[in-house]
Amino acid sequence: MRYWAAAKAAAGAAEEPYAAATLAEALDAARRRHTERPEFARVLLRCSFLVDGDPVGTRDHTTVQLAEGGTVEVLPPFAGG
């Protein structure tokens, strides 16, 4: 998982590995990993996700399959333009 902007700050890391079959599983594992950082879970609620470069959009995270060695980008809302 690669964290950007506020997600990176809340996680205290730019990236970390995951072992999960779906996006929902990966996000649940990340939340458990960062229970000492309650802001992390709040930030995730506002984030968008890219899985191997493809936007997840409004798809149910339990249906988004992850490939071994793939990348999940965690993108909080951006301001400006």
Side-chain angles (χ1 to χ4, degrees):
M1 286 191 159
R2 289 187 191 142
Y3 302 115
W4 297 95
K8 179 178 173 181
E15 60 184 63
E16 56 193 5
Y18 64 86
T22 67
L23 179 57
E25 290 175 11
L27 293 173
D28 286 345
R31 284 184 196 96
R32 286 191 305 274
R33 185 178 299 132
H34 296 288
T35 55
E36 76 287 352
R37 294 174 165 270
E39 181 62 17
F40 179 76
R42 287 190 290 272
V43 168
L44 284 185
L45 293 173
R46 300 185 310 267
C47 287
S48 298
F49 305 95
L50 298 177
V51 173
D52 297 328
D54 294 325
V56 171
T58 60
R59 287 184 287 163
D60 183 336
H61 295 170
T62 63
T63 67
V64 179
Q65 298 294 308
L66 302 179
E68 187 173 334
T71 301
V72 175
E73 305 278 350
V74 181
L75 308 165
F78 292 90

